[in-house]
Amino acid sequence: MRRNYILALVGIGIGGIGFGLVTPVTVLLLELNRAPSFIIGSTAMAGYVSIFIFARYTGRLIDRFNVKKILAAGLFIWMLSALGHIFWYIYPLLYLVKIVMGIGGTFIFVSTEVMINYYSDETNRGKNIGLYVVILSIGIAIGSLLIWTIKLGNWVPFVIGSSIVLFVFIIQLIFMEEIQIKDENAKVEKMPIAKMPLMSLLSASVYGLFESSVIVVLPLYGLRNHFTTDQVAYFLASFVIGGIVILYIVGHFADKLPKYKLLLIISTMLGILFLFPVLTMNFVFLLVIFFFIGGIVPAFYTVGLNYTVEQVEKKFMTQANGYFVMMYGAGTILGPLIGATLVDFNKQYGYWVFASLLCLGFFLLFKFYKNGNFQ
């Protein structure tokens, strides 16, 4: 049991290095090649659409074939598609590669999350999910530090990313034990999405929207408000580091407080924090604010997933995980478009007011709505 749990954490951390390397390098190469903005944005969106479509089926595949096989398939698919990015300059092929990579990524994330939940209980699930996301974030951060390898050749980062995931694939095949989530003779029962708690679906969507939009908004917001490129890089770094430091602390609270109540607290805090960039343009103050925003935003995902596992029947755990990732994918599709549009609307406060209102709206909805009824 402990071996599989550790392998899931180590695997997602090492795999995160590949995730954090391949996508930014692709965007950089397209930009340097003067590709149209539509191509840059839509190729990235293709992967998110793939996650949205295939996440709902991944849970059922795990129930039928077991988690080890689906994880192995995901790693193998992602490894091949990372290598396929070598042909990034063939735009029609790049769309296909992104879609395939999205399928592999979906298999990886749903499988590893199912494993973490399988080996957790109500006393440590919040901490374990938080640790999972923190380790993934560290891997992605390390991957972004390897972007310089593009100087060795525009194909080098993709070979490195593919090789890293190949390493994880081999470790998983050799050392991971079989995990039987369901009884082998039990019939796989389809879970309708109506059985998912509304708070679960919306927390995943809100996180997906923020994750994909903030990465677009921070550079636009910074440069259009006359911050230097170095300062913009510090904004992004502050956001990422906050997600590593604060999120693990939030995970501990998730094991001590009711998850429903904690999500209300998280949405209220973010509703307030998102307003600060409207009030000041002081660089140091904004660094601190983005640090806290970066640390609390991912809690929509970790606490929301924790809440989901508590609320759904155990026999539907894997499918519920798939639906949760599906709604995350829906949010990531909308995020970049909404973020860029709002910065165009008003470069200083357009996005931040929207983000604050979204969080406060989440709070008000679930303050008065519970178990299908308004109170």
Side-chain angles (χ1 to χ4, degrees):
M1 178 196 107
R2 185 169 178 79
R3 178 195 294 182
N4 282 354
Y5 171 75
I6 292 173
L7 282 173
L9 293 176
V10 171
I12 202 66
I14 297 174
I17 299 174
F19 305 153
L21 176 61
V22 170
T23 299
V25 166
T26 307
V27 172
L28 183 60
L29 286 171
L30 290 171
E31 179 68 19
L32 291 173
N33 199 49
R34 297 183 180 179
S37 297
F38 172 78
I39 296 292
I40 297 174
S42 59
T43 51
M45 190 177 292
Y48 293 135
V49 171
S50 188
I51 292 173
F52 174 71
I53 293 173
F54 289 97
R56 63 179 301 178
Y57 302 109
T58 304
R60 275 183 268 169
L61 289 173
I62 291 172
D63 282 340
R64 177 168 295 182
F65 298 108
N66 82 43
V67 69
K68 180 177 179 178
K69 291 176 182 174
I70 299 304
L71 176 57
L75 290 167
F76 188 75
I77 291 169
W78 201 96
M79 175 192 68
L80 290 181
S81 55
L83 207 56
H85 278 70
I86 290 174
F87 304 103
W88 59 271
Y89 49 85
I90 306 175
Y91 296 156
L93 179 60
L94 182 59
Y95 281 102
L96 178 61
V97 167
K98 288 290 187 183
I99 290 171
V100 173
M101 175 172 274
I103 297 172
T106 303
F107 284 4
I108 293 169
F109 289 124
V110 175
S111 296
T112 50
E113 287 171 10
V114 165
M115 289 171 62
I116 296 299
N117 282 314
Y118 181 75
Y119 291 121
S120 303
D121 56 35
E122 63 278 358
T123 66
N124 61 12
R125 181 171 286 110
K127 181 182 70 175
N128 289 346
I129 293 175
L131 181 62
Y132 167 87
V133 176
V134 166
I135 290 175
L136 172 62
S137 299
I138 292 172
I140 291 173
I142 294 172
S144 65
L145 295 176
L146 294 174
I147 292 175
W148 66 270
T149 57
I150 196 173
K151 297 177 182 178
L152 304 177
N154 59 28
W155 53 272
V156 173
F158 303 127
V159 172
I160 293 174
S162 180
S163 300
I164 288 170
V165 176
L166 173 61
F167 176 68
V168 178
F169 174 74
I170 294 171
I171 289 177
Q172 182 262 344
L173 280 184
I174 296 173
F175 296 107
M176 184 170 287
E177 300 168 350
E178 292 284 352
I179 307 172
Q180 194 63 45
I181 305 293
K182 295 177 69 71
D183 191 297
E184 289 186 9
N185 298 319
K187 183 179 179 181
V188 176
E189 183 179 348
K190 181 181 177 182
M191 176 190 179
I193 195 171
K195 285 185 176 288
M196 284 286 289
L198 181 61
M199 179 176 261
S200 300
L201 298 175
L202 291 185
S203 64
S205 299
V206 169
Y207 170 67
L209 187 149
F210 283 148
E211 183 200 63
S212 61
S213 63
V214 167
I215 300 303
V216 172
V217 166
L218 281 180
L220 294 177
Y221 166 80
L223 294 175
R224 293 185 187 183
N225 286 288
H226 310 297
F227 290 100
T228 67
T229 54
D230 285 343
Q231 288 174 319
V232 169
Y234 285 129
F235 284 158
L236 289 167
S238 180
F239 184 83
V240 172
I241 293 170
I244 295 171
V245 176
I246 297 178
L247 184 59
Y248 189 63
I249 299 173
V250 174
H252 282 274
F253 280 108
D255 291 328
K256 295 177 173 60
L257 294 174
K259 314 306 179 289
Y260 195 99
K261 181 179 180 180
L262 186 55
L263 281 167
L264 293 182
I265 294 172
I266 289 164
S267 58
T268 304
M269 292 176 65
L270 283 172
I272 296 170
L273 286 168
F274 274 126
L275 286 177
F276 281 106
V278 176
L279 305 175
T280 181
M281 297 292 285
N282 179 272
F283 172 68
V284 175
F285 188 78
L286 287 174
L287 275 182
V288 175
I289 293 301
F290 293 145
F291 174 82
F292 281 102
I293 290 175
I296 299 173
V297 160
F300 265 120
Y301 191 92
T302 58
V303 179
L305 180 57
N306 198 342
Y307 174 77
T308 302
V309 174
E310 283 189 351
Q311 295 298 310
V312 302
E313 296 179 61
K314 188 174 181 180
K315 64 180 179 179
F316 291 135
M317 183 178 72
T318 56
Q319 294 183 57
N321 219 129
Y323 281 130
F324 192 83
V325 174
M326 179 187 78
M327 294 307 295
Y328 155 79
T332 58
I333 293 170
L334 298 173
L337 180 62
I338 291 175
T341 301
L342 289 169
V343 174
D344 283 341
F345 174 73
N346 186 285
K347 64 183 181 181
Q348 182 176 346
Y349 61 77
Y351 175 79
W352 308 114
V353 171
F354 164 80
S356 176
L357 291 174
L358 181 61
C359 292
L360 294 176
F362 183 96
F363 168 79
L364 291 173
L365 174 62
F366 291 107
K367 178 68 175 176
F368 300 104
Y369 175 95
K370 193 169 184 180
N371 298 325
N373 298 301
F374 284 98
Q375 300 176 350

